[in-house]
């Protein structure tokens, strides 16, 4: 019986291949803008945490391509290095979106539970924003938070994050659009390569298909 289970385990391992994507994420130049009673970290175009009233801590959004059949997707982060900066004012709270810049919307007061706490914000290094099919490819969109903030001490920690994304896959196929023309496949492949960080994985499958 043990031999049967051992053979079954080896068979499963041979079918399901564990793979990893390695990445590093950081914000190199931290821009601090005076907003009167508050300061803004980064410019107005940078992605920030999306909870209204919470500190508008900058985020870095990254897309990765994974095989269509990828399972057990995990993301692990570790800190490579960290710089500390003391602010003179609180970070500007996230405000509700406005349809037009001239729209008059009352100022949304800061969340006192966060701003009066010594707990680091955000309390996660990343959030998975979406996992979806785009033009025949599976794309995972991740928001990273290299900068964390201690509201009570007015300190921010700008960290260089090491990222490992793991998953299991039986066939390693990243792109599948059987009904699309060759021209549309080519356009879709170029679009995805421009969207994701690990474009070399797409290139490797494209190269393999060309040789086949």
């Amino acid at each position: 019986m043990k031999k049967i289970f051992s053979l079954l385990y080896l068979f499963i391992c041979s079918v399901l291949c564990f793979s990893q994507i390695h990445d590093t994420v950081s914000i190199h130049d931290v821009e601090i803008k005076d907003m009167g009673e508050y300061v803004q970290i980064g410019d107005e175009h940078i992605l920030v945490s999306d909870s209204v009233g919470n500190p508008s801590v900058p985020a870095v959004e990254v897309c990765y391509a994974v095989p269509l059949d990828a399972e057990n997707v995990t993301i692990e982060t570790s800190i490579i290095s960290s710089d500390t900066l003391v602010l003179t004012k609180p970070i500007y709270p996230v405000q509700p979106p406005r349809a037009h810049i001239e729209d008059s919307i009352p100022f949304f007061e800061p969340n006192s539970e966060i701003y009066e706490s010594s707990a680091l914000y955000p309390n996660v290094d990343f959030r998975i924003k979406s996992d979806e099919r785009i033009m025949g490819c599976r794309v995972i969109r991740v928001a990273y938070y290299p900068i964390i903030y201690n509201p009570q001490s007015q300190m921010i920690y700008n960290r260089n994050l090491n990222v490992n994304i793991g998953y299991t896959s039986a066939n390693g196929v990243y792109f599948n659009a059987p009904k699309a023309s060759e021209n549309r496949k080519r356009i879709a492949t170029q679009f995805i390569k421009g969207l994701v960080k690990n474009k070399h994985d797409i290139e490797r499958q494209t190269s393999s298909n060309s040789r086949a």
Side-chain angles (χ1 to χ4, degrees), residues 55 86-91 111-121 149-157:
V86 180
L87 303 177
T88 57
K89 301 176 182 179
I91 294 179
N111 180 351
S112 59
E113 186 176 341
I114 299 293
Y115 278 83
E116 295 174 8
S117 171
S118 61
L120 296 175
Y121 180 85
Y149 173 50
N150 184 326
Q152 196 172 80
S153 66
Q154 300 288 24
M155 299 178 71
I156 62 173
Y157 305 90

Side-chain angles (χ1 to χ4, degrees), residues 87 131 174:
L87 303 177
D131 181 350
Y174 287 84

Side-chain angles (χ1 to χ4, degrees), residues 3-170:
K3 185 176 181 180
I4 293 175
F5 280 119
S6 298
L7 291 173
L8 181 60
Y9 175 77
L10 291 173
F11 173 76
I12 293 173
C13 289
S14 66
V15 173
L16 295 177
C17 178
F18 180 78
S19 300
Q20 281 191 322
I21 301 171
H22 303 286
D23 196 7
T24 57
V25 178
S26 61
I27 297 177
H28 295 293
D29 298 314
V30 179
E31 180 181 342
I32 301 176
K33 182 179 179 181
D34 195 307
M35 301 285 288
E37 295 182 28
Y38 301 91
V39 293
Q40 179 177 289
I41 308 298
D43 60 38
E44 64 271 20
H45 302 295
I46 197 168
L47 179 71
V48 298
S49 52
D50 51 10
S51 298
V52 173
N54 289 358
S56 52
V57 175
V60 177
E61 191 170 276
V62 184
C63 292
Y64 305 96
V66 297
L68 298 172
D69 69 337
E71 296 182 349
N72 306 314
V73 178
T74 60
I75 302 179
E76 295 181 351
T77 58
S78 58
I79 301 172
I80 300 174
S81 60
S82 178
D83 294 323
T84 304
L85 182 63
V86 180
L87 303 177
T88 57
K89 301 176 182 179
I91 294 179
Y92 193 76
V94 175
Q95 299 298 301
R98 294 183 294 179
H100 303 285
I101 194 67
E102 65 273 8
D103 285 353
S104 178
I105 296 180
F107 176 76
F108 204 96
E109 293 295 331
N111 180 351
S112 59
E113 186 176 341
I114 299 293
Y115 278 83
E116 295 174 8
S117 171
S118 61
L120 296 175
Y121 180 85
N123 61 356
V124 295
D125 290 341
F126 67 89
R127 288 189 176 92
I128 296 178
K129 306 291 285 187
S130 63
D131 181 350
E132 58 187 338
R133 289 280 290 268
I134 300 177
M135 302 181 75
C137 186
R138 184 176 170 188
V139 175
I140 294 179
R141 191 184 305 267
V142 184
Y144 294 101
Y145 302 97
I147 292 179
I148 53 177
Y149 173 50
N150 184 326
Q152 196 172 80
S153 66
Q154 300 288 24
M155 299 178 71
I156 62 173
Y157 305 90
N158 187 15
R159 304 163 307 155
N160 186 10
L161 298 177
N162 181 64
V163 178
N164 285 308
I165 302 175
Y167 58 86
T168 55
S169 171

